[in-house]
Amino acid sequence: MAKKLPEVDVVIVGMGWTGGILSKELSESGLKVVALERGAPRSAEEDFSVPHIRDELQFGIRHGLMQDLRRDTLTVRNNPSQTALPMRQLGSFLLGEGLGGAGVHWNGHTWRWTDMEFKIRSMYEERYGKKFIPDDMTIQDWGITYAELEPYYDKFEKIAGISGQAGNLNGQIVEGGNPFEAPRKSPYPLPPLERSLANDLFAGATKSMGLHPFPMPVANASRPYTNPDGAKLGQCQYCGFCERFGCEANAKGSPLITVIPFAMKQPTFELRTLSVVSKVHMDKQKKVATGVTYTNLQTGEEFFQPAKIVILAAYGLNNTHLMLTSGIGKPYDPVTQKGVIGKNYAYQTGVGATLFFNDKIFNPFMSTGGLTTLVDDYNGNWNFDRSGPNFVGGTTLNGGMYGGRPIDFHPVPPGTPKWGKAWKEAMAKWYSRSMTINSAGSVMANRYNYLDLDPTYKNALGMPLLRMTFDYKPNEHRLSEFTAQKINEIAKSLNPDFLSPAKAKTAPWSVVPYQTTHNTGGTIMGTNPTNSAVNKYCQSWDAHNLFIMGASLFSHNAAYNPTGPVGALAYMTVDVIKNRYIKNPGSLV
């Protein structure tokens, strides 16, 4: 039997960006907060120093900062007629684990999602008609607007130290920024990163084609920076060890160096690492959350932590898993389309080309997580006509390099032998003479893409594994074909000596090769309990004192990375809890 602990004001499950934000803000307001993190403790000083953090084999290849699949994993399949099997090794996406979560090893790409996403169904129906959206595409409006989130986007960008160039400042289009972004009231806190040769080539090519290149907005500090809370970030060193690694220079905006240290200073805050939550408990009337049960992985002891407010701030897939194992909310059924928990799981799609030049040296080892130039003309540009290519959603295109680490990066032209002397010679020649053009594309929700509990497999604690049913649908195939065509047009205009062209993804999704860790949906936001798990304030429809954070709230996946709205929603939610909910507990809508 679980040992019952004294009640606290707030218990938070997970300590990444959202858990760190809520822990800091709520404990500073005087609330007694306990945060439970399933992974191990970390600190930038002890864990990310040179030369240890530059161990590409440990972190880049063997995924040293990621989830141990021997203890917990999920099962995957492409459609409901198949039998799902466990994911035995990390591949398509990399599930983070440990203090700081994915905010430790992310690249830092930070976007502001706009009303094109938040009002996606109504805006598409208004422009293209209701028949343009396929019957099985379950996209829906979120019930929130960009205007409501704008001040919280601004706060998150300043806390994380985002480097970028504004493109729409108070309604005025700014040269060099993204002209398709929604109006922002203040510039980015830091200027963009220095440009590379690959950035310049891509920018020149796209501009000559009438497109609008701009630098990636990113949590890689282009200058030394002190954020509004007093956290100090170093200047990016362009070391090339960014994604999958902690930052040796403290230059990457991370919860480990921003919000978490400030929470740790509060006498009302307590952190418990290596603590795996297995259930959220409800009262007898199934109306109020009473606390969580968790297991201490070091001792094997089980505890019940009572709390007045329960906040799920784990990675999105884990939030959905915990809601399902706790029996809160009705699980989604793709046949009847009833239920909400597990609904609208979405992923991301992307294709890329590699260009080889005899006369250009790109120095790919001198890079960072956001050293890339983009165009948003086929995504954020609402004037771009989707009726011709016939897809809902869009894609960003980017040219540049994230890092040329020696084990992972060794491009060679088409026709090069797979091994032996000729391969080694080609690898040595083309390592510095190649660049890439890639894309990040949206994935729309579909009735047959969802999450539920696997009936067969269990994790080390005896909990049913989360089962993922996912495949790209015709909408995404058409988007992929369109994207590959556009990338190849840009690539050919640069006249490379050799080209590995972009190829559309029309085959079934595979969990084996890495693609992206942008998993969304499962506890989606909406306007009422029949179509969503939470309201616009991330508050569960089933329990007024249960709040859910992260990308599991998204009712589809955009071409943009998810961390911007994840951070903004966290700040909005903590604002509402402190200024409204504490004074008058109950439904906020």
Side-chain angles (χ1 to χ4, degrees):
M1 180 178 292
K3 179 182 178 181
K4 185 175 181 180
L5 301 172
E7 186 181 54
V8 296
D9 294 314
V10 185
V11 62
I12 297 176
V13 181
M15 274 295 279
W17 264 120
T18 60
I21 288 170
L22 274 89
S23 292
K24 171 190 177 295
E25 297 292 326
L26 295 177
S27 62
E28 285 182 347
S29 70
L31 297 176
K32 173 64 177 175
V33 178
V34 166
L36 303 171
E37 165 57 48
R38 66 187 294 170
R42 294 194 191 114
S43 72
E45 297 85 356
E46 296 180 7
D47 295 289
F48 305 148
S49 59
V50 176
H52 166 71
I53 195 56
R54 292 198 187 185
D55 187 339
E56 185 186 0
L57 184 62
Q58 178 182 353
F59 297 110
I61 306 302
R62 294 177 176 167
H63 310 308
L65 296 178
M66 311 304 172
Q67 183 172 308
D68 184 353
L69 299 187
R70 295 170 298 179
R71 188 176 71 231
D72 198 9
T73 184
L74 66 157
T75 64
V76 295
R77 61 183 181 177
N78 289 126
N79 61 71
S81 68
Q82 297 175 339
T83 299
L85 296 174
M87 184 174 70
R88 299 293 188 182
Q89 62 183 26
L90 292 166
S92 184
F93 43 85
L94 304 178
L95 303 172
E97 187 171 89
L99 188 62
V104 168
H105 53 77
W106 68 320
N107 264 338
H109 301 180
T110 307
W111 294 90
R112 292 186 175 197
W113 292 28
T114 70
D115 285 339
M116 281 185 62
E117 314 301 340
F118 304 141
K119 301 177 182 179
I120 186 166
R121 178 167 283 273
S122 58
M123 290 183 72
Y124 270 86
E125 287 181 350
E126 181 180 353
R127 176 160 185 177
Y128 298 105
K130 293 185 177 182
K131 292 184 178 180
F132 188 74
I133 300 174
D135 291 339
D136 287 343
M137 186 180 288
T138 54
I139 57 174
Q140 64 186 44
D141 291 358
W142 295 31
I144 196 169
T145 67
Y146 171 80
E148 290 174 288
L149 275 188
E150 199 281 335
Y152 301 108
Y153 277 129
D154 185 72
K155 184 173 180 63
F156 179 70
E157 289 168 356
K158 287 180 168 63
I159 293 298
I162 306 302
S163 301
Q165 171 61 58
N168 185 338
L169 195 56
N170 293 308
Q172 298 296 314
I173 301 302
V174 181
E175 181 68 26
N178 180 7
F180 308 115
E181 71 174 353
R184 45 188 305 124
K185 293 183 179 178
S186 62
Y188 287 100
L190 289 166
L193 294 167
E194 299 294 331
R195 300 291 85 196
S196 69
L197 174 58
N199 296 158
D200 291 340
L201 290 175
F202 180 82
T206 53
K207 196 168 186 177
S208 69
M209 299 169 71
L211 304 177
H212 302 81
F214 62 95
M216 169 71 78
V218 66
N220 306 148
S222 59
R223 304 284 187 274
Y225 176 69
T226 301
N227 78 6
D229 289 331
K232 296 183 181 299
L233 279 70
Q235 182 173 355
C236 180
Q237 303 298 301
Y238 302 87
C239 68
F241 290 80
C242 203
E243 78 281 1
R244 308 188 187 188
F245 298 83
C247 184
E248 64 190 57
N250 278 0
K252 180 164 58 175
S254 160
L256 269 189
I257 61 174
T258 56
V259 289
I260 292 177
F262 291 90
M264 298 287 285
K265 293 178 181 179
Q266 299 304 314
T268 57
F269 175 74
E270 181 182 354
L271 170 66
R272 300 173 194 162
T273 55
L274 296 170
S275 299
V276 178
V277 177
S278 55
K279 186 175 182 179
V280 178
H281 294 267
M282 300 282 281
D283 66 358
K284 293 181 180 180
Q285 289 73 37
K286 303 292 184 182
K287 297 294 185 182
V288 178
T290 58
V292 301
T293 294
Y294 73 94
T295 301
N296 183 316
L297 293 179
Q298 292 180 302
T299 66
E301 294 176 283
E302 192 174 56
F303 298 93
F304 172 60
Q305 178 59 69
K308 297 174 184 176
I309 299 174
V310 176
I311 299 174
L312 304 189
Y315 188 70
L317 295 175
N318 296 329
N319 284 342
T320 304
H321 187 211
L322 192 52
M323 288 290 283
L324 289 168
T325 58
S326 301
I328 302 175
K330 185 176 181 179
Y332 172 71
D333 182 346
V335 177
T336 64
Q337 296 193 73
K338 303 295 184 181
V340 295
I341 307 300
K343 179 183 178 182
N344 282 27
Y345 170 74
Y347 192 44
Q348 202 159 46
T349 184
V351 296
T354 305
L355 295 70
F356 301 86
F357 299 86
N358 274 304
D359 61 346
K360 293 179 175 60
I361 301 297
F362 294 97
N363 292 329
F365 50 86
M366 297 172 62
S367 192
T368 185
L371 192 61
T372 186
T373 296
L374 305 101
V375 293
D376 201 24
D377 296 70
Y378 306 118
N379 179 61
N381 180 8
W382 189 237
N383 291 321
F384 162 60
D385 187 3
R386 275 101 167 147
S387 63
N390 190 27
F391 57 73
V392 177
T395 184
T396 62
L397 309 180
N398 67 82
M401 296 297 300
Y402 296 153
R405 296 183 293 274
I407 299 177
D408 190 49
F409 184 74
H410 35 72
V412 291
T416 302
K418 300 295 184 182
W419 190 248
K421 181 180 179 181
W423 176 80
K424 292 180 181 178
E425 290 174 345
M427 181 182 68
K429 175 179 180 179
W430 297 108
Y431 171 78
S432 289
R433 293 178 171 86
S434 62
M435 65 169 281
T436 60
I437 300 177
N438 293 300
S439 70
S442 61
V443 169
M444 295 298 107
N446 184 279
R447 67 180 293 184
Y448 295 113
N449 288 337
Y450 64 101
L451 305 169
D452 66 353
L453 294 178
D454 192 276
T456 304
Y457 297 96
K458 301 180 185 299
N459 65 16
L461 295 180
M463 301 165 62
L465 294 185
L466 184 70
R467 179 170 63 179
M468 175 185 293
T469 303
F470 176 77
D471 204 358
Y472 296 122
K473 303 302 180 185
N475 183 79
E476 283 64 56
H477 293 165
R478 292 190 292 272
L479 172 60
S480 187
E481 291 167 349
F482 172 87
T483 302
Q485 175 188 344
K486 294 300 180 183
I487 286 178
N488 291 333
E489 288 175 2
I490 298 169
K492 291 174 183 177
S493 76
L494 288 168
N495 298 313
D497 293 289
F498 298 97
L499 172 64
S500 293
K503 297 180 181 179
K505 290 183 179 179
T506 56
W509 169 73
S510 169
V511 75
V512 177
Y514 180 76
Q515 292 155 74
T516 174
T517 308
H518 302 157
N519 310 88
T520 63
T523 64
I524 63 175
M525 178 183 292
T527 56
N528 63 76
T530 63
N531 70 5
S532 56
V534 302
N535 61 30
K536 64 188 293 183
Y537 300 116
C538 310
Q539 181 185 42
S540 169
W541 294 110
D542 294 286
H544 66 78
N545 66 333
L546 174 62
F547 294 83
I548 305 176
M549 300 287 102
S552 62
L553 303 172
F554 299 3
S555 67
H556 67 283
N557 204 353
Y560 297 154
N561 301 53
T563 312
V566 164
L569 286 167
Y571 275 114
M572 183 187 71
T573 300
V574 80
D575 188 16
V576 170
I577 291 175
K578 289 194 301 182
N579 296 308
R580 288 180 53 192
Y581 183 82
I582 295 299
K583 299 174 183 177
N584 186 24
S587 177
L588 293 165
V589 296

